[in-house]
Every structure is written in C-alpha cells, then in structure tokens.
Amino acid sequence: MSPRRTPVDTAVTAPRAGATHRVHLTAAGVSLVLDVTDGRIPAIVHWGAALGVSGGDGPTGTAREPGTAGEPGTAGGPEPPNRSAALGAAALDALCEAAVDVVPNNAVDVPVRLGIIPQQCDGWIGRPGLTGSRADGSGWAPRLVTRSLHLEGRPLTEPHVETGPARLRVDLADENLGLAVALDIELLESGLLRLRAALTNTLETPYDLDELTLALPVPGDADELLDFAGRWGKERTPQRSRFTVGTHLRENRRGRTGADATHVLHAARPGLGFRTGEAWAVHTAHSGNHRHLAEQINTGTRLLGGGELLLPGEVRLGAGEQYVGPWLYASYGAGLDDVAHRFHRHLRSRPHHVDPRRPVTLNVWEAVYFDHDLARLTDLADRAAALGVERYVLDDGWFGSRRDDTSGLGDWIVSADVWPDGLGPLIDHVRGLGMEFGLWFEPEMVNEDSDVARAHPEWIMAPAPDRIPLESRHQQVLNLSIPAAYAHVRDQMSALLETYDIDYLKWDHNRDLLEAATRATGRAAVHEQTLATYRLMDELKATHPGLEIESCSSGGARVDLEILERTDRVWVSDCIDPLERQQMNRWTSQLIPLELMGSHIASGRSHSTGRLHTLGFRAATAVFGHLGIEWDLAAATEEELEELREWIAFYTSRRELLLTGDLVRADRGESALWVHGVVAADRGSAVFSLAAVGRSAESQHERLRFPGLDPAATYRLRPVRIGPRPSGLTMPPWMTRAAEEDGLLVPGAALTHSGLAAPLLDPEQALLIDISRARCTDHLPGPGGPGDPIERR
C-alpha cells in the first residue's frame, strides 16, 4: 500500500487528568449520547429514540457548543435543529452513570466499558476493534485514550454539551505504541449516524494494520437479526436469525460489495416489520472486501459493527502514514420503513444527488447482445423514441475484438470491423431523435485474449509472476493500482468521451477478485484496487462535467453507499424477471431510494428465468425505480407497443412523485399480496402497487391499508387502467365503483387505519392505485344525495 502521508499533530493538548465529557446530539427523532469518562475512549450510552423535553433550553450548566445562538459551528443565525430537546447536565450525568454495569464474579475489577473501538484494556473480551503489530510483535494490544475533542471544528472544553446534528472529532492516541486515531462521529439531519476512524503511525518503525472495526451497542432485548444473502440473479434475499452469544460475522472477500452482501445488518426487538418494532441497523460503505458483525458476550452486552476487511500486508504504515477507514452508517427506526427513510433522506440531501426527472432508458443488451449492426440499432432507436424513451445505451460488444465474451476486454478502442465509421453515425442518429447516449465499459477487467494483456501481462492481478487466477467469464482483473495500467484505462476512456457526445457510462464489473495481488510482488492489492476505482470515477467525472455513471457489477453486486458517492444509479440485478424483481427491488430499497435503482421492463419471456409474464406485471413492477426497457422492440406487437407507450406516459407523468416520495411497504411481508407505494412529502398524492407474488392459503387477503397519508384529509382513489385487465382480477365493490366513475372519495382515516377490502388476483399479476388529495369542490357521497363539500385544507 501507499498510505496517505499526513503530519502528526503534536500540538494538540490532552484533556486534564480525569477529564470527563458528556455529549448529546439529537436530530429527526434520534438521540446519541456519548460519554468520555476520565479521558477514556468514547462510549455510546444511548443511540435510539430522541431524549429530552421539548420547549426548554435545559438546566443551567448545559453548554451550547459550538455557538449559543447560531447554526452548528457558527455564531448568529437560527438554533440548531432539535436544540430545544435538552436534558441538562445533571440528567446527562445521571444517564451516563446509570449505564455503568455491575462487576460480575470472576471478571475484571472494574465495570467493563464498550468503546466505539472495542479494546481489551477496557475489559472487553469480544472481538477487538483495532489489531495490528510491528515487526517485533508489539503494538497488538493498544490502550487508546482521548487527547482532544472538537465539535464542528471547535475545541470542546465544556463537560456537558447538547446540540442538534453535528460532527464530533475525537483524537485518540496510545503514545507508547506510537498509534493515533482520528475518530469522526456525525449525526446527520436525517437522524442517520455515521462513524469513521483514521489510524496514523507516529513511530519510525512500520506498523502492519490487520483490522479497524467500529462498534455500536444495541439493547439486550434486540433479540432478532435481519440481514441479506443472495447470488447472481437473486440479489438481496432477506434472512432472519436469533441474536445469541457469539459472533454473527459476515465477511466479504469478493473484492466487490457482492451479490450475497450483508447490505444492511439489523438488530431488532421482537415484532420487527415494515412499520412495527424498534430496529438498529448498520451499513459498511465500502466497495471492496468488508465485514459486518453482530456480537454478544456472556455478560449480555450486544453490538453491531463493521469495517474494511484487509488482506495480509495490504496496509503497512510507515512513519507519519495514515489509513482512513470507510464510513460505518447506522440507522435507528421504529420499523424497517423508518430505518430505510433515514438512509434515503440522507442520500437525497446531498448536493450532487440525481435530478428526479430521470430519463427513461433503453438498454440494447437483451435485444442484440454482441450482434452490433448499425441498421438494426438505429431501428431500435427509432422505435424507442416513438415510445417516449429519453436515453439510449449501447452495451457490450462495440470495441476491439469483442464479438463474444472471450476476447477484447480491456481494449477500449471502437472496433473498425463492426463500426467502420466509428460510433458517430449511431450517436448522431440517437441524439437527432432527442435522446441521450450511453455506452458500456468494464474498466477494471481484461481478457487474456486482448491487445493490452498481450502487451502487459504484468498488469493482470495474480499472486505470482508464474501463476494466474482461475478465469471467470473468460476474464481477469486489470490492476489499476499500477500507475501505467490506470493511465491506460483512463486515457482510452477519456479519448472516447472527448470524441463522442456521451452522457452516460454503464460501468460493469463481472467477476470476483480472487488471488488479487500485484503480479510482480505477490502483495495483496484489493484495498488499492478499490481506491483506484474510486479515483478513476472521480477523475472522469471531474474532467467531463455532467457525466452520469451506473454501477453495474454482474447485476447488483456493487451496491453500497461509497460507490454511490460517485455513481448515479445501480443496476439492481441482471435478472429482470418481474417476480424476482419484486423481491430484489423491495430489499434494495432498504438502503437506497428508488431513483437510484435501475428498473427495466424486459421481454415477455425472461432471459434469466424463462418465465412468461404479462406486460402489465412487468411494467407495474418496473415503474417503482429509474425506469428503462431491455427488450427487442422490433419483436413486439403493435398492441404491446401501444401498451408500453401508455406505461411510459404514466411513469413520466408521475416521475417526480415516484422518485422523490417516501417509500411505504404496507403488507406484513408474509402475505401473497405485497402492498407498497410512494407517498409525496406533502401527503397530497401517492401511487400504490398491489402485487400478487404467490397464492394465499386464505381465500381472501388482509384489508388494504395505505400508511403515510393524512388521516384528516380526503383522497380520491383511481385504479390505474393500462392494457388488458390483470388475470384473475376480482374487484371489491369500492374498487368497481372507483373504476367505473372518476375515482372514489375515501376519508384518509379509513385508508390509514380501518382499510379497504382487497381484490383477488392470479399469481404474478399487479394492479396500481393512484391516490390524490381531494379538491375543496369534491363531495363525499352521502345517503340520497351527492354529499357535503370537502372543506378546504
């Protein structure tokens, strides 16, 4: 590794002997209370529901840091959010003291204290947070203590601080072992918590880092774990287990986030559902090897944690060198929807978040595969534009000798054999139709049968010069941590972006990183490869403003919050079968909002499962995401094209709602009828889906409830009627009336609390309900007359 060299801060003064600080941060219904007692490593006393009493400033002695009458970190201006929910110094002390455990028999003689970086010197007998060593074997058992604290960049001197969302920097050190840690703890306005640690070696002798994992405590009655597994074509499959003594360890050694990634690890009290049960959840924001863990020791203490998984020798810190770990995001909520909303609101608050008016996309992969023919591709463009498609993406097969997946990968030069006049004729045609143009790349990979591999075999990742990993999809990994290899890929991609008017890159990554090392030395290089990929994306975006990038990795094998700092959507899965996508879209959205999820309408027979589905089910599934098409439109009937045109028109008319509203999952996750939707921020409109994903053991379904709406309002419900009637649809009376008339007026309280009778549908059918707040001139039906006008709200 070539760690970042940073000067070691020797000027920071340590707190006075025995200094104690208690910090309370609160935002969006969440409180975080930190205890730094006697200068020890910070411990989380409370992370969960907001504490404090609204309306007061707290007892005297509670400091307002930083600034007393301004935004966090400034003087002047409005109060920080939730600043009024103060506990006061005495209550903070009482809360921290009440959290101190008793000393059990046959244990250390002081109460065990779980720090954010767990360490044995505090009596912790579970997995340590920081492990590593020097050549003589020392340095493996650090004793980190707090040297200074800064809140929003200002030194923290007061013993008690309460404020709204803010970032706390804690400088830790073990001066004897020559280790310093900068720990960032930030509560965001969404109520989402994130933590990150950076380790610096302050001695002259090198330090080999093995692991840096952060931990957050969860209540002892959080008895259930929920995380995810999966495989290619069936990503993000939920799995539940009991939280018992020991370690639930999910280590990912694929060199990418993985189709079987943990995604989000939850610990929950009994009764966890979409809108019930308290849950605490973590996500490691890293696109290479990483870990998540849930651990309980025999005292009953429980934690969730995560960090990067480092291979032997990947991080060797010289004097003054620093390793910066990934962000560990943590979300608390009352139910899974609440947990998800915190992630979504954080992502949507970023200044570089995507525009919700996302272009409807045609990707030509399942239409033509490697058979690139200008006449056929321009015909697809004509058909797509006539339907209302706004972006056209040319997939794999346009470069080098790439006529199938066995050769050419890594040679990012337009094939003269297939494209004698270059890509210009196709791009000009596409843009002349008013559509954007996108192009497929796989920058981190290479075929052995390629010009670049023949010229530079040393650029292929391998554990030794005379040994090479097993092929996967006939390809190997190109080592971007080698500067010349990095420059080769960057320059070839940049040349194409400068030559052609390209708006969008579909960035693929089709194999795991097995035996991934620098071939000349045999040194593991997954860590450096991951950072180089980030750097390449950042550089291309900086030099080509407005360029969008899609993260595709054998489908959905690279979905994490760090890759989404530099990409604009993820491809949920290579499987576009709508039945499978109902599950995968549902659980991908536990972390990211719908506008970041590529969701396409495929051909009638799924290319990955062989199932046949109606266009109605395919489209009703796909509109909950960034809509696209993956279908040979030349093979579609006129009836299918007309129905597809209507679905695209429906989507574009509701696009802003679908891609900015709050996700709501209204079923219990056990029924054969899945009910989910999107509700506008002002609760004025919503679109809900009723999707039959199987057959129910009962002849009728549960009543339909539509959470998230305003119980005090009145709404007009309209079934969405596009194309043929869904198979097996038997509508209850209210739905029949809504379909025959211009919708049906229903009080919001009935929709949110009592519910409506559910229709019957054959399996693998779906029906959408469009909901809008009634106007003041609308009337609720009454006995014998049109009813009373609805009051203006």
Side-chain angles (χ1 to χ4, degrees), residues 97-131:
E97 291 162 10
V100 178
D101 289 326
V102 299
V103 177
N105 291 330
N106 198 28
V108 294
D109 293 340
V110 296
V112 174
R113 189 172 184 276
L114 174 63
I116 292 174
I117 303 176
Q119 46 187 10
Q120 283 195 349
C121 65
D122 294 320
W124 177 251
I125 59 172
R127 190 182 187 97
L130 171 60
T131 59

Side-chain angles (χ1 to χ4, degrees), residues 425-460:
L426 176 62
I427 295 175
D428 291 345
H429 188 82
V430 166
R431 299 194 70 86
L433 293 167
M435 293 187 289
E436 297 180 0
F437 184 81
L439 193 60
W440 181 95
F441 285 89
E442 194 170 2
E444 300 147 84
M445 300 295 157
V446 63
N447 287 129
E448 291 181 64
D449 182 7
S450 65
D451 291 342
V452 65
R454 282 185 287 271
H456 295 284
E458 73 278 9
W459 291 356
I460 295 176

Side-chain angles (χ1 to χ4, degrees), residues 109-275:
D109 293 340
V110 296
V112 174
R113 189 172 184 276
L114 174 63
I116 292 174
I117 303 176
Q119 46 187 10
Q120 283 195 349
C121 65
D122 294 320
W124 177 251
I125 59 172
R127 190 182 187 97
L130 171 60
T131 59
S133 63
R134 301 188 189 275
D136 62 359
S138 66
W140 64 272
R143 176 172 290 185
L144 296 170
V145 297
T146 298
R147 299 174 68 229
S148 68
L149 297 96
H150 290 77
L151 189 64
E152 291 294 311
R154 295 187 176 186
L156 188 61
T157 57
E158 295 293 332
H160 302 92
V161 173
E162 299 189 76
T163 188
R167 181 183 295 197
L168 179 70
R169 163 65 64 88
V170 185
D171 291 302
L172 306 162
D174 183 328
E175 295 182 356
N176 292 329
L177 295 184
L179 300 175
V181 175
L183 176 63
D184 285 318
I185 305 163
E186 184 174 16
L187 187 66
L188 302 164
E189 290 188 3
S190 62
L192 192 65
L193 172 65
R194 65 178 183 176
L195 309 94
R196 182 173 64 183
L199 173 70
T200 301
N201 175 24
T202 62
L203 296 184
E204 292 299 320
T205 57
Y207 183 81
D208 289 324
L209 177 63
D210 297 328
E211 179 177 338
L212 182 53
T213 297
L214 306 181
L216 298 95
V218 294
D221 60 348
D223 292 326
E224 184 178 4
L225 295 176
L226 167 66
D227 60 1
F228 298 87
R231 60 175 177 82
W232 177 86
K234 198 170 179 61
E235 292 87 340
R236 285 164 292 286
T237 301
Q239 57 181 17
R240 296 189 185 230
S241 59
R242 297 286 295 171
F243 200 149
T244 58
V245 172
T247 304
H248 176 82
L249 180 62
R250 297 291 306 281
E251 291 192 334
N252 187 298
R253 298 176 182 270
R254 297 179 177 275
R256 54 179 176 170
T257 319
D260 59 345
T262 307
H263 196 50
V264 183
L265 172 59
H266 306 76
R269 289 193 166 114
L272 177 65
F274 292 122
R275 309 190 72 78

